[in-house]
Amino acid sequence: MATAATDRTAAPEPAPHVLVVPYPAQGHTIPLLDLATLLASRGGVRLTVVATPATAPLLAAHGDAVGELVLPFPSHPAFPAGVESAKGLSPALFGALIVAYAGLRAPLGDWARERSGGPDRVAAILSDFFCGWTQPLAAELGVSRIAFLPSAVYGTAVLHSLFRRMPQREDGDDESPIGFPDLPGVPVAALTLLYRTYRDGDEVSEGVRRNFLWNLEASSFVSNTFRRLEERYLAAPLADLGFRRVCAIGPLAPDAADAASGRGGETAVSAADLCVWLDGFADDDGSVVYIRFGSMAVLQPPHAAALAAALERTGVPFVWAVGTTAPLPEGFEERVAATAETVAALRHRAVGWSVTHCGWNSVLEASAAGVPMLAWPMTADQFVNTRLLMEEAGAAVPVSWGGIQAAPEAEEVARVLETAAGGQCAHVAARAKELAEEAAATVSDGGASRQELDELVRELRELGSEPKE
């Protein structure tokens, strides 16, 4: 007697599970969350984002696109108890935060190993370049790690090259340039404090250096940049980045539809109210100056005083995103009544220039909006970013090179404001508009950044197709 075969449809393999590890600073966490959301929208991968109680609220703006894993912030004797992020943190503690955050390696490894034999096993790790400790973790788990660059490729290559090569610095000589294999030379004064304050044998210094050396073992880098902005540094693998491939998927900047979505937290002035005020300049497009110094920077009183005096002296209309820590001169806010904290203003036709510290997220947001920049770098990679914007992109004019240590005179700041507002830098404004067109094209369907994103999704799917030997 013949028996009919029973059709049995095998259950489909679950999508590869990618562990995403941001660094606890808004300028790092938000773009990596934006990338995770984009990856999820492409389908075929599942993502779990690691957070601590202080950074977990930032995931709310990304809905159900990604899962979350909230772990207690690790304690470390070199880092103050109760602090969980870089917001408002003294630059002197940046290195200690990198080292303290590495304490997540053990609990995260335990969590991943518990899932190693099932459908939720981790197939790959995508992590911020300040989380170099995820490289040995990935090796322990037998998976690949892709390092996320929230900064320019140029600035990131400088940082990694410094800690790999450890070039000698002449004491007291801040103007002599340090050379690099594939990059323009950089004056000592423009180097990040993480390198300038390195002390041989110091636990934090050695931990910071180890962080960057681990990154050079990653399978590849994925960068929040775009080719027309950094063509020189994306044309071929750089020796300064260990000849690793760089996938350019930016700009990961909010578009007009979600610039006011609150992805960075609540603001003191609503985007709607701000835009109503800006609408009053309809007959004078490009006359307003937008001012912002980032989520991590705390503007020093002499710098704030010089800027405030210059604004009052020139009478230039402005929006100043001061946050809650900017030391405004007494009575200034009452006299001018024009402070806010939102990036929605950048997209308004009334905004003609942006005063910025040249943190990379601010650079990308201004570039995507087509707004030329008045560059006022303070620390970290901001000096290198300013050089890129001025000498290669042609989309910025310098305000001051003094950084945190030296505030400019109010007269000098006023001169720069008047020059920009007076239309004497039209060529810079024109180049900024071109950058915006290029940024829009690269993230549209068929654009270079979207093609790189799709290639990254394919790579992640392949990494998860079978366990790595």
Side-chain angles (χ1 to χ4, degrees):
M1 180 178 176
T3 58
T6 303
D7 289 334
R8 294 182 180 178
T9 303
E13 287 290 324
H17 183 199
V18 179
L19 189 62
V20 181
V21 187
Y23 179 71
Q26 278 198 181
H28 291 241
T29 298
I30 291 175
L32 186 49
L33 287 176
D34 288 340
L35 174 57
T37 302
L38 276 174
L39 292 171
S41 72
R42 270 6 200 200
V45 292
R46 292 174 297 145
L47 302 106
T48 295
V49 179
V50 177
T52 66
T55 58
L58 291 174
L59 274 66
H62 296 265
D64 299 326
V66 298
E68 67 176 56
L69 169 62
V70 180
L71 297 172
F73 190 91
S75 62
H76 191 281
F79 196 69
V83 179
E84 292 191 19
S85 76
K87 189 171 185 178
L89 192 68
S90 166
L93 287 171
F94 285 175
L97 177 56
I98 292 173
V99 174
Y101 201 59
L104 286 183
R105 175 177 167 182
L108 194 54
D110 291 341
W111 180 89
R113 278 185 284 272
E114 289 173 0
R115 288 153 180 80
S116 60
D120 287 334
R121 72 174 184 86
V122 173
I125 295 177
L126 172 63
S127 58
D128 189 275
F129 75 166
F130 277 170
C131 299
W133 51 271
T134 56
Q135 184 62 41
L137 173 61
E140 292 169 9
L141 299 175
V143 302
S144 294
R145 179 229 176 184
I146 298 171
F148 174 68
L149 310 183
S151 302
V153 173
Y154 173 30
T156 303
V158 165
L159 188 58
H160 284 78
S161 195
L162 284 172
F163 281 105
R164 180 176 63 85
R165 298 166 49 244
M166 299 298 291
Q168 295 298 309
R169 300 155 289 168
E170 295 294 333
D171 290 339
D173 184 3
D174 282 353
E175 298 306 318
S176 295
I178 286 181
F180 298 90
D182 294 332
L183 309 171
V186 177
V188 172
L191 298 180
T192 173
L193 285 175
L194 287 175
Y195 180 74
R196 296 182 69 190
T197 58
Y198 173 86
R199 299 196 311 274
D200 190 29
D202 175 74
E203 179 192 3
V204 170
S205 292
E206 296 295 350
V208 168
R209 185 184 184 209
R210 187 164 56 247
N211 174 87
F212 296 110
L213 296 181
W214 273 329
N215 287 335
L216 298 175
E217 300 174 16
S219 62
S220 63
F221 293 114
V222 55
S223 175
N224 185 17
T225 191
F226 59 105
R227 290 202 166 271
R228 291 299 295 272
L229 184 57
E230 293 200 87
E231 187 68 45
R232 174 177 179 178
Y233 310 107
L234 291 165
L238 299 171
D240 300 279
L241 278 178
F243 294 106
R244 289 299 190 269
R245 178 173 67 88
V246 178
C247 175
I249 46 77
L252 295 170
D255 58 23
D258 59 41
S261 64
R263 61 208 274 276
E266 296 182 358
T267 59
V269 177
S270 73
D273 289 343
L274 179 58
C275 287
V276 167
W277 182 79
L278 290 170
D279 287 341
F281 296 88
D283 296 330
D284 197 9
D285 285 359
S287 61
V288 177
V289 174
Y290 176 76
I291 305 163
R292 183 179 61 161
F293 288 91
S295 60
M296 288 171 56
V298 177
L299 201 59
Q300 302 299 306
H303 299 72
L307 178 55
L311 290 167
E312 290 196 81
R313 185 170 305 178
T314 61
V316 172
F318 67 94
V319 173
W320 188 345
V322 298
T324 58
T325 57
L328 297 178
E330 184 176 356
F332 174 75
E333 187 171 358
E334 290 76 10
R335 291 194 300 273
V336 301
T339 56
E341 189 177 6
T342 176
V343 299
L346 276 175
R347 298 264 177 185
H348 199 284
R349 65 183 183 279
V351 174
W353 287 86
S354 173
V355 177
T356 172
H357 63 312
C358 291
W360 193 241
N361 286 299
S362 296
V363 166
L364 289 178
E365 287 165 0
S367 297
V371 178
M373 286 159 268
L374 299 177
W376 195 341
M378 295 292 176
T379 186
D381 60 347
Q382 296 157 20
F383 293 94
V384 176
N385 294 343
T386 297
R387 183 209 159 273
L388 174 71
L389 289 168
M390 288 177 51
E391 299 180 17
E392 298 187 35
V397 174
V399 175
S400 170
W401 291 100
I404 293 175
Q405 287 76 21
E409 296 294 329
E411 292 80 2
E412 178 60 17
V413 180
R415 184 193 66 77
V416 176
L417 288 173
E418 289 172 339
T419 298
Q424 299 176 45
C425 301
H427 61 293
V428 178
R431 180 55 187 146
K433 297 297 183 186
E434 292 174 5
L435 272 183
E437 294 172 359
E438 294 160 1
T442 198
V443 296
S444 63
D445 289 342
S449 287
R450 280 299 174 266
Q451 291 181 32
E452 295 260 31
L453 178 70
D454 289 338
E455 178 59 33
L456 176 60
V457 172
R458 284 192 291 271
E459 179 181 344
L460 292 172
R461 288 172 181 162
E462 291 171 1
L463 288 173
S465 61
E466 58 183 48
K468 185 177 178 182
E469 294 297 332

